[in-house]
């Protein structure tokens, strides 16, 4: 777009003479040129940027939902592992009590060593399983902390 103005002042002859020209001439105007090809390219570029922003917003929404879903899964895993740990604790306590009873009977000559060894084996297996649940609980807890950090810093 361009703006222009011009002023011309001249005198030819006298005012009373026939055919004399005006003393002043002034012109104002605006010149507007539109390059249709560059406007079309600009519109295409704007549309592309709008589409790109929309895609980024959709991706951000998807990632937020994915974080929420993963966070929920980790929380469920923590709950499950905690319940399993309690179950193993109860089983270990009951097995230790049974072991004491079997030892007492063995000392009295009423039982055999096979029952004692099976109970001891069972106790060690439950302790190992309980340690695995504690490990899984801690892994799930670390996952929750990671997801909370990701959610807090989009």
């Amino acid at each position: 777009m361009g703006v222009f103005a011009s002023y011309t002042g001249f005198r030819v002859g006298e005012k009373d003479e026939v055919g004399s020209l005006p003393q002043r001439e002034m012109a104002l105007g605006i010149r507007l040129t539109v390059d249709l090809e560059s406007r079309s390219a600009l519109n295409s570029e704007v549309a592309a940027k709008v589409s790109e922003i929309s895609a980024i917003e959709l991706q951000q929404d998807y990632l937020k939902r994915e974080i929420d879903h993963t966070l929920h899964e980790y929380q469920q895993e923590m709950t499950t592992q905690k319940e399993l740990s309690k179950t193993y604790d109860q089983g270990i306590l009951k097995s230790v009590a049974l072991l004491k009873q079997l030892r007492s009977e063995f000392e009295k000559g009423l039982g055999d060593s096979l029952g004692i060894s099976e109970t001891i084996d069972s106790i060690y297996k439950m302790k190992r399983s309980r340690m695995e649940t504690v490990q899984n609980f801690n892994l799930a807890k670390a996952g929750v902390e990671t997801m909370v950090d990701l959610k807090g810093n989009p």
Side-chain angles (χ1 to χ4, degrees):
M1 177 177 4
V3 178
F4 68 91
S6 67
Y7 173 80
T8 307
F10 59 92
R11 179 180 246 176
V12 177
E14 292 292 326
K15 185 178 180 180
D16 295 335
E17 282 184 28
V18 178
S20 67
L21 296 173
Q23 187 173 349
R24 294 183 185 163
E25 182 177 303
M26 186 165 57
L28 286 173
I30 296 176
R31 181 179 313 145
L32 178 64
T33 56
V34 177
D35 184 3
L36 295 178
E37 287 182 25
S38 66
R39 181 173 174 95
S40 173
L42 182 63
N43 285 342
S44 296
E45 188 174 330
V46 167
K49 292 296 180 187
V50 167
S51 295
E52 186 177 339
I53 289 170
S54 179
I56 289 171
E57 288 173 346
L58 286 173
Q59 184 180 16
Q60 184 180 19
D61 184 53
Y62 171 77
L63 290 174
K64 284 180 182 178
R65 289 175 192 238
E66 187 70 23
I67 287 171
D68 287 341
H69 175 71
T70 305
L71 181 62
H72 178 72
E73 284 181 343
Y74 281 134
Q75 289 169 336
Q76 286 295 106
E77 181 69 15
M78 285 177 63
T79 302
T80 302
Q81 295 302 322
K82 192 173 184 179
E83 290 173 7
L84 276 173
S85 181
K86 287 179 183 178
T87 303
Y88 284 125
D89 286 341
Q90 292 170 355
I92 291 168
L93 289 175
K94 288 179 182 178
S95 293
V96 167
L98 177 63
L99 181 62
K100 286 180 183 178
Q101 181 185 355
L102 289 174
R103 280 188 180 163
S104 173
E105 289 176 1
F106 183 74
E107 289 172 358
K108 293 177 186 175
L110 300 175
D112 61 357
S113 62
L114 183 60
I116 293 174
S117 65
E118 287 176 353
T119 305
I120 291 172
D121 187 47
S122 174
I123 291 171
Y124 283 120
K125 285 181 181 177
M126 281 191 280
K127 284 185 177 184
R128 179 183 172 111
S129 295
R130 187 189 182 290
M131 288 190 313
E132 288 174 0
T133 59
V134 169
Q135 180 184 11
N136 291 338
F137 177 85
N138 288 332
L139 288 172
K141 184 177 178 183
V144 166
E145 291 171 359
T146 301
M147 291 300 113
V148 167
D149 286 345
L150 285 175
K151 191 173 183 178
N153 301 319

